[in-house]
Amino acid sequence: MAWIEVFVSALCPFAHRVRLVLAEKGVQARETEVDLRNKPLCFLEKSPNGKVPLLDHEGRLVWVAAVIGEYLDEVFPDRPLLPKDPHARARTRILVNFADTRLYARTEALLHSADPRAGGSTSSKIRLQIMAEIADDLRTLESQILTERPQDGSYWLGGEFSLADLSFYPWFEQVCVLERYLGFQMPAECHRLLKWREAIMARDAVRAIARPPEFYLEAYGRLLAI
């Protein structure tokens, strides 16, 4: 049995993505929780960028969630999460990049703007602009990407579950925070996205490690103090 340790933080969606990949693969790993406001020396000595997630696989370090996902898929090929077809594989990577560079990046900026300990302040106008950009990203997913997928399944690639699904899901698990504390509203026309989320939530591995909205609302309520 391979020895694996993964450094995570409870509220980090990228760390949750890695936890989901491990769960889908049925791979056991030691989880080490990192306080991102007071990072322990043992973590900083290992981590090249000081961020979670960080994977330690028998002394070999891998970081960046998207890279860790592909690494785990190669090292543990059972229950593959990357398609064999080159075009489908490329499409998966495009979707992961969309999630990371648009949806998560904008959400991080939005949450950072609301954190009283982040330093500085962001006007309500800019926050509204960021939320409008997030809503546009969701409309893009709904109107372009989901409508172009094969119609033989519930996932991003149709019937084939992939890293793309796992990359987006943590955002949807935490969207309640944006709705409760920042007034964000899911675009009313995003029916396919909601059905996709229901399909992901129904998976055994996702259900096994999912956290309820109350968990995130309580934790972010303390952080944001709003």
Side-chain angles (χ1 to χ4, degrees), residues 3 5 7 41-48 54 56 61 63:
W3 181 83
E5 182 176 14
F7 293 85
L41 182 60
C42 62
F43 169 70
L44 292 173
E45 288 176 342
K46 278 191 172 186
S47 175
L54 173 68
D56 185 342
L61 300 176
W63 57 99

Side-chain angles (χ1 to χ4, degrees), residues 11-14 16-17 20 99-100 102-108 110-111 130-131 133-135 137-138 141 165-179 184-187 190 193-194 196-197 216:
L11 299 182
C12 176
F14 299 104
H16 193 39
R17 181 193 305 182
L20 287 165
D100 290 349
R102 292 177 63 171
L103 202 58
Y104 285 113
R106 287 171 174 158
T107 301
E108 181 180 11
L110 184 62
L111 289 171
I130 297 173
M131 286 194 283
E133 291 171 345
I134 293 172
D137 287 340
L138 296 173
L141 294 170
D165 298 290
L166 293 180
S167 296
F168 279 95
Y169 176 74
W171 187 90
F172 287 86
E173 189 169 292
Q174 295 193 32
V175 69
C176 58
V177 174
L178 305 187
E179 294 170 334
F184 177 77
Q185 292 184 341
M186 285 283 292
C190 290
L193 273 175
L194 295 179
W196 165 84
R197 179 172 65 177
Y216 296 108

Side-chain angles (χ1 to χ4, degrees), residues 36-86:
L36 297 181
R37 294 183 180 274
N38 186 25
K39 300 170 187 175
L41 182 60
C42 62
F43 169 70
L44 292 173
E45 288 176 342
K46 278 191 172 186
S47 175
N49 61 2
K51 297 180 179 180
V52 296
L54 173 68
L55 183 79
D56 185 342
H57 177 207
E58 298 182 337
R60 292 166 290 187
L61 300 176
V62 187
W63 57 99
V64 181
V67 179
I68 294 173
E70 292 206 25
Y71 175 83
L72 290 172
D73 201 53
E74 292 180 5
V75 174
F76 303 100
D78 290 343
R79 307 179 192 178
L81 294 171
L82 271 174
K84 292 182 179 179
D85 175 73

Side-chain angles (χ1 to χ4, degrees), residues 3-226:
W3 181 83
I4 298 176
E5 182 176 14
V6 58
F7 293 85
V8 299
S9 181
L11 299 182
C12 176
F14 299 104
H16 193 39
R17 181 193 305 182
V18 172
R19 295 175 68 243
L20 287 165
V21 172
L22 290 165
E24 284 285 343
K25 291 281 185 181
V27 175
Q28 298 295 317
R30 174 184 174 183
E31 288 188 16
T32 299
E33 181 75 16
V34 176
D35 181 352
L36 297 181
R37 294 183 180 274
N38 186 25
K39 300 170 187 175
L41 182 60
C42 62
F43 169 70
L44 292 173
E45 288 176 342
K46 278 191 172 186
S47 175
N49 61 2
K51 297 180 179 180
V52 296
L54 173 68
L55 183 79
D56 185 342
H57 177 207
E58 298 182 337
R60 292 166 290 187
L61 300 176
V62 187
W63 57 99
V64 181
V67 179
I68 294 173
E70 292 206 25
Y71 175 83
L72 290 172
D73 201 53
E74 292 180 5
V75 174
F76 303 100
D78 290 343
R79 307 179 192 178
L81 294 171
L82 271 174
K84 292 182 179 179
D85 175 73
H87 182 261
R89 185 180 289 254
R91 185 172 173 81
T92 300
R93 289 173 171 146
I94 290 169
L95 285 164
V96 172
N97 180 263
F98 185 103
D100 290 349
T101 61
R102 292 177 63 171
L103 202 58
Y104 285 113
R106 287 171 174 158
T107 301
E108 181 180 11
L110 184 62
L111 289 171
H112 186 80
S113 76
D115 189 340
R117 289 172 287 187
S121 62
T122 302
S123 70
S124 297
K125 183 178 180 180
I126 294 177
R127 288 183 189 172
L128 289 173
Q129 179 183 339
I130 297 173
M131 286 194 283
E133 291 171 345
I134 293 172
D136 283 343
D137 287 340
L138 296 173
R139 291 189 185 98
T140 296
L141 294 170
E142 173 78 15
S143 64
Q144 296 182 26
I145 297 173
L146 278 174
T147 55
E148 294 171 359
R149 72 182 177 183
Q151 297 302 307
D152 58 348
S154 302
Y155 307 126
W156 287 113
L157 301 180
E160 190 170 6
F161 186 73
S162 73
L163 287 174
D165 298 290
L166 293 180
S167 296
F168 279 95
Y169 176 74
W171 187 90
F172 287 86
E173 189 169 292
Q174 295 193 32
V175 69
C176 58
V177 174
L178 305 187
E179 294 170 334
R180 171 72 62 86
Y181 295 123
L182 295 172
F184 177 77
Q185 292 184 341
M186 285 283 292
E189 64 270 32
C190 290
H191 304 295
R192 293 184 184 90
L193 273 175
L194 295 179
K195 289 183 179 179
W196 165 84
R197 179 172 65 177
E198 291 174 0
I200 304 303
M201 290 173 63
R203 293 185 67 85
D204 290 342
V206 174
R207 292 170 59 189
I209 64 172
R211 295 184 172 107
E214 294 76 18
F215 172 85
Y216 296 108
L217 293 174
E218 180 181 353
Y220 274 104
R222 293 195 303 268
L223 287 174
L224 301 177
I226 57 176

